[in-house]
Amino acid sequence: MSNEIPNLNLLTVFAAVIEQGSLSKAAEHLSTNQSTISTSLGRLKAKIGQELFVRSGRGVVQTAYASSLYSQIKNPIQELNTVFQDLGTFDVDSSERRFVMTAPEHLQSSLLNLFSDQKYKKISLEVFDQPEDDEKVYDGLLTQKFDVMVDIFPPNHPNIESVKLFDGDFVIVCRQNHPRINGQITESQYLAETHAVLERTRDKKRSLAHHTNFDISQRKVAYHGRSMFSNLLLCSQSDYITVVPLSMALQFKTHLKLQLFTPPFEYKKISNYLLWLKKFNQEPSHKWFREALIEASQERLSK
């Protein structure tokens, strides 16, 4: 084992493989190829004289030594990244920047409208729908496909930072002129009707199950939609009922001729968190973008 400090680039590659979970994702993250990543890991292994990763199936698993090494170098590497990011400049009036994010369906329109405002002439926003796979929920952040994401849960990843934007209500929705529901809905009515539900789950539970202890398994479900809007549209043309965030229901209440009801059972509000990589905490344009979203959440998104 050499007593010399390994090349910083080798340590950066090593840290990326740990954080991304695979050589291929680390290569994408660092804008290089898998062969370069493998070569760098080989050089680092030779330098320190220790095995860092072992093959497991189609991927690699870090050794105990690698875990220990990473725990000691991750903060210094993040601090160095911050130093170089702070050297950058960003001016909202003159700098051109396109931000990319993923967000829940009920916030997408408000977010896009925020950055279509002529106030930000050289700033634009691209919004993606949320991933459907729980196991890949953070992949877009970790590979830097997205600058930020909005999620209903705080993150459980050591390299991701978060802040709560706001808590929002949800409502039960049905069409006007519904044959059995008019002006109010009771708990027994809610269970007696036929439902359109969101097919997407988080932590193997449907969205509503995260926000109430009421036994929703008793519901009669007729339609499993992949979007809340498709559920709203179906309910506007049928006798089905559905549940959506209040902000989304208000967007379409008039156009789709909907009735909105506060749930007749106990429930918790929907929390919305802004998530980003810790390494971008002090990067000027990224910091401005986050602050703009936080400000917007107070002014528009929480309405």
Side-chain angles (χ1 to χ4, degrees):
M1 176 178 178
S2 170
N3 290 325
E4 296 179 6
I5 298 175
N7 184 300
L8 177 60
N9 289 334
L10 300 182
L11 293 175
T12 299
V13 169
F14 165 74
V17 174
I18 295 281
E19 292 166 2
Q20 302 301 319
S22 72
L23 273 64
S24 59
K25 289 182 179 179
E28 183 178 353
H29 175 72
L30 296 174
S31 300
T32 186
N33 55 61
Q34 192 166 328
S35 176
T36 299
I37 298 295
S38 183
T39 299
S40 297
L41 291 178
R43 289 174 57 197
L44 182 60
K45 173 186 172 181
K47 191 75 174 176
I48 62 179
Q50 294 282 346
E51 196 72 56
L52 298 173
F53 298 95
V54 294
R55 291 284 179 183
S56 177
R58 295 184 178 180
V60 294
V61 176
Q62 64 200 43
T63 64
Y65 180 86
S67 298
S68 175
L69 176 61
Y70 175 70
S71 69
Q72 296 175 69
I73 68 168
K74 66 176 181 179
N75 288 335
I77 286 179
Q78 288 177 354
E79 289 171 4
L80 283 172
N81 283 332
T82 298
V83 169
F84 287 106
Q85 288 163 2
D86 285 345
L87 296 177
T89 60
F90 175 76
D91 180 79
V92 68
D93 295 319
S94 60
S95 299
E96 291 190 22
R97 181 71 154 84
R98 184 169 186 80
F99 295 100
V100 183
M101 69 180 297
T102 177
E105 189 178 356
H106 64 286
L107 300 181
Q108 292 167 1
S109 177
S110 296
L111 289 165
L112 288 168
N113 288 338
L114 173 66
F115 286 89
S116 64
D117 195 316
Q118 289 302 306
K119 179 173 62 173
Y120 305 126
K121 294 182 179 179
K122 295 190 176 184
I123 307 297
S124 59
L125 176 65
E126 186 174 0
V127 177
F128 283 76
D129 205 358
Q130 289 181 303
E132 296 186 6
D133 189 337
D134 270 3
E135 296 181 358
K136 298 180 179 179
V137 68
Y138 299 134
D139 281 8
L141 274 186
L142 296 173
T143 60
Q144 296 184 46
K145 176 182 178 181
F146 305 130
D147 293 294
V148 300
M149 67 180 291
V150 178
D151 195 20
I152 61 173
F153 299 117
N156 57 2
H157 193 285
N159 298 313
I160 299 177
E161 195 81 81
S162 72
V163 64
K164 182 184 281 192
L165 292 175
F166 64 92
D167 290 325
D169 285 298
F170 62 87
V171 290
I172 298 169
V173 178
C174 71
R175 69 180 177 92
Q176 292 179 7
N177 302 319
H178 191 285
R180 293 173 296 280
I181 303 173
N182 184 25
Q184 64 178 2
I185 186 170
T186 65
E187 187 176 294
S188 59
Q189 280 181 305
Y190 176 79
L191 292 175
E193 295 298 329
T194 305
H195 296 250
V197 301
L198 193 63
E199 180 64 14
R200 181 177 299 161
T201 61
R202 285 298 303 276
D203 294 338
K204 299 180 181 180
K205 294 168 65 176
R206 299 198 183 281
S207 299
L208 184 57
H210 291 287
H211 305 293
T212 183
N213 291 323
F214 181 64
D215 185 8
I216 59 174
S217 65
Q218 303 175 57
R219 295 180 300 181
K220 295 182 292 184
V221 177
Y223 180 68
H224 297 258
R226 291 195 173 276
S227 79
M228 289 184 285
F229 178 75
S230 67
N231 288 356
L232 283 177
L233 187 60
L234 178 66
C235 290
S236 74
Q237 301 170 351
S238 69
D239 293 341
Y240 300 149
I241 68 174
T242 194
V243 172
V244 298
L246 174 60
S247 59
M248 187 170 192
L250 291 175
Q251 288 181 52
F252 300 105
K253 177 182 178 181
T254 301
H255 292 303
L256 296 182
K257 298 180 179 179
L258 303 171
Q259 296 186 73
L260 315 184
F261 304 101
T262 299
F265 44 79
E266 290 189 7
Y267 67 94
K268 298 182 296 183
K269 291 191 174 187
I270 304 170
S271 297
N272 294 270
Y273 295 87
L274 180 65
L275 282 62
W276 68 92
L277 288 181
K278 290 181 179 179
K279 64 183 291 185
F280 292 119
N281 275 352
Q282 301 304 320
E283 197 277 321
S285 64
H286 202 283
K287 187 176 181 180
W288 174 88
F289 180 50
R290 299 195 309 269
E291 290 173 350
L293 292 175
I294 293 170
E295 181 180 354
S297 74
Q298 306 303 319
E299 296 178 357
R300 296 189 190 182
L301 302 184
S302 58
K303 292 181 181 179

